[in-house]
Amino acid sequence: MGGFFGIASKRQCNYDLYYGVDYHSHLGTRRGGMVMYDRELGFQRQIHNIENSPFRTKFEKDVDEMRGNLGIACISDFEPQPLLIRSHLGNFAICTVGRINNQESLVELILNKNHHFLELSGGNINPTELVASIINEKNTIAEGIEYAQKMVNGSMSILVMTSECIYAARDFYGRLPVLIGQNDDGYSVSMESFAYQKAGFEDFRDLGPGEIVRITPEGVEQMKAPEGKLRICAFLWTYYGYPNSHYEGSTVETMRYKSGEIMADYDKVEGIAQDIDFVAGVPDSGTPNAIGYANRSGKPFARPFIKYTPTWARSFMPTSQKQRNLVANKKQIPIKVLIENKKLLFIDDSIVRGTQLRETVDFLYNNGAKEVHIRSACPPIMYGCKYHNFSRSRNEMELIGRRIVMDLEGEKGMNYLDQYSDHSTDRGKAFVEAIEKQMGFSSLRFQSLWGVTSSIGLDPECLCTYCWTGKE
Ligand code: SF4
């Protein structure tokens, strides 16, 4: 998951930009980039591969040399960016976060006008270059951004920086947040609220879906009012949002406590896992759910294993699944006295392919656990994300939910995914039992859709829950 950060300030902002974008180091990103503008030096840009090295390490020399009071930076899933563009709209830098599902037809549209693209290795075209080309079709940058947002099927949040200002645009359905911060010297734009708070900015406001603003050190001017219907990604809260962040006024950490409380209530009503010794979370996002569960149920919270992090930073995420599983395994260090002969209830943020969780459960049994009960803090994931490059559910047939349905009923079962996701139905019960058996869980329950949306606390109509429901 990529992210971006920008600053328009009355003073030098190189270090604030550097630290601000580093706070967007989500999992599995491959490129990082920064661009700044200074009246004497003009645009200065650096891009590095951050697959095996943290953003800060790669940019620590560059940031000392960069100058300016305007800057944008990004952490990117695949493509090198920000790009520097020279067009009839002037010189500008651009970075994007999103996903273009109709890339081929948009490329055709631009090529038919006798424009060209640089080809990346593998024959791909840089999606940010494509967005820049679409913007260049219009007479102003704001008009061009609006046009690009309308043309893209998927989602597209955009930062464009000229020598005067930063244009910020949130994707048409607000799948990801874009927030503005303010301090005495100017404004920042970010996808994580805590990223600018650490740089001394206060919350100013969230952009609405499809909204476009022009940011200078002096103010924020609305270029286009919000238009689309808000469908912000519910996974921000359940999995990949950082605990300190808040989106649309709902804080990630406290949402996860509430979600854990609801799961504790379900278990009490069902009368299952009532004699466990410890409640624990699969780190990191499972842990606050476990705190909520423990507080509500009165069962003690514990950490039967700790992740070894000094040399395995959170941002380090190999691109191959096999390597990822190996890294996950190497990081897990058991605390034997909290595992041996104990009945444990572990909460994970979600169950995607199930391979890592299976290894964790085997690891707990190998260290002497008597029972391992598993709770997933969200419903079964049945659909791949269509709106951003969310690696957790890219290939639908790798999802454990779909694989179990195939095992139970074959292709026909795909017509009943909603029933399989609902534990109160016969199919839902068979689904849970099949996973328990296959994965060696003492018991398994999934958080309900209601449990997720009510923990977030926003109108469910404003949330994207496509991964679980298949409903847009
Ligand atoms: S499809 Fe899933 S991951 Fe993608 S925006 Fe919707 S809820 Fe989020």
Side-chain angles (χ1 to χ4, degrees), residues 39-208:
R39 292 227 175 273
E40 282 176 16
L41 301 173
F43 288 93
Q44 312 126 69
R45 183 191 59 168
Q46 290 295 342
I47 295 174
H48 291 296
N49 182 329
I50 54 166
E51 274 177 66
N52 294 318
S53 174
F55 178 91
R56 280 199 321 280
T57 316
K58 283 288 176 92
F59 285 81
E60 64 189 351
K61 280 207 184 89
D62 304 320
V63 69
D64 284 337
E65 288 159 13
M66 293 177 108
R67 290 282 171 275
N69 67 326
L70 282 175
I72 61 173
C74 61
I75 304 270
S76 185
D77 292 316
F78 306 104
E79 66 271 32
Q81 51 169 342
L83 300 181
L84 289 173
I85 305 288
R86 184 170 189 162
S87 79
H88 71 286
L89 297 173
N91 293 355
F92 63 86
I94 177 169
C95 61
T96 65
V97 174
R99 176 174 161 143
I100 306 177
N101 295 323
N102 55 338
Q103 176 147 328
E104 282 309 311
S105 63
L106 293 178
V107 167
E108 241 2 84
L109 185 86
I110 301 294
L111 291 180
N112 285 340
K113 294 184 177 170
N114 292 342
H115 300 311
H116 71 273
F117 293 100
L118 296 173
E119 196 165 285
L120 298 178
S121 56
N124 295 321
I125 284 169
N126 187 324
T128 301
E129 188 186 4
L130 176 58
V131 172
S133 298
I134 299 171
I135 291 172
N136 283 328
E137 293 287 295
K138 294 292 174 185
N139 293 324
T140 66
I141 288 177
E143 278 174 36
I145 292 174
E146 184 176 350
Y147 181 52
Q149 283 178 315
K150 291 230 160 100
M151 296 299 284
V152 166
N153 173 319
S155 76
M156 189 48 61
S157 291
I158 304 168
L159 290 185
V160 168
M161 184 177 83
T162 69
S163 57
E164 305 291 331
C165 66
I166 296 171
Y167 292 87
R170 185 173 178 187
D171 71 82
F172 204 68
Y173 291 94
R175 307 268 177 205
L176 293 179
V178 176
L179 308 103
I180 310 279
Q182 178 186 34
N183 68 12
D184 291 343
D185 296 310
Y187 295 85
S188 60
V189 54
S190 178
M191 287 188 158
E192 297 282 12
S193 54
F194 72 95
Y196 58 68
Q197 281 156 2
K198 289 297 287 177
F201 292 86
E202 302 280 333
D203 291 329
F204 182 62
R205 72 177 180 89
D206 295 14
L207 294 194

Side-chain angles (χ1 to χ4, degrees), residues 175 233-235 385-388 390 464-467:
R175 307 268 177 205
C233 174
F235 251 116
C385 176
K386 296 202 289 190
Y387 307 112
H388 38 249
F390 186 54
C464 178
T465 55
Y466 177 84
C467 283

